[in-house]
Amino acid sequence: MGGKPSLLLVGEIGAAQGLKGEVRVRSYTEDPADIAAYGPLSDEAGTRTIEIERVRVTPKALIARIRGVTTREAAEALNGTKLYVAREALPEANEGEWYVADLIGLTAVSPDGAALGRVAAVHNFGASDIIEVALDGSGGTMLVAFTDDTVPEVDIAGGRLVLVPPEEIEASEEDEP
């Protein structure tokens, strides 16, 4: 599918840690320490290269040493910097798994194949993923939990996913004896 982003968000630099330039990092990778395994990262614009030299996991945070950052002031200047990796640097997803960025832009269809809209975003507010679908024709959006019941099929190569809106799930459960 064309139009997929070439940079994917994998983390964000937080507050400075200590006096020698270390920073806290919020990692969005499955294993938080893996953020350092992707090689050089970049900022959102793709204009600045950020290389994590090492990370250490503490009970409260992931602490990182960034190449060239040796003072607390330099570390503080990075606070809030979002960290991106080139899509090509990521391994292929396993069967039944997807990168969030691969879901954005997919056509959402009903179980009978009728187009509902396009996946505009995937959100996670702590409990689980929620997909936001921009509905065709109405200009509105629909938020749906990303579960096996509401999204029983994802076809990245085909550019679509099957979406069962929650009211349809509730109606089918009411029909059961």
Side-chain angles (χ1 to χ4, degrees), residues 72-147:
R72 181 172 182 86
E73 292 75 23
E76 287 172 345
L78 293 173
N79 191 359
T81 301
K82 294 187 183 322
L83 302 171
Y84 291 81
V85 65
R87 173 64 173 94
E88 308 80 55
L90 297 174
E92 287 302 313
N94 295 325
E95 184 70 30
E97 295 181 347
W98 310 273
Y99 290 109
V100 168
D102 292 340
L103 299 173
I104 308 297
L106 293 181
T107 299
V109 299
S110 67
D112 64 6
L116 300 171
R118 291 210 173 273
V119 177
V122 179
H123 306 283
N124 189 311
F125 301 107
S128 65
D129 290 329
I130 298 171
I131 59 172
E132 180 177 354
V133 177
L135 300 172
D136 288 345
S138 74
T141 62
M142 173 174 42
L143 297 175
V144 180
F146 187 56
T147 66

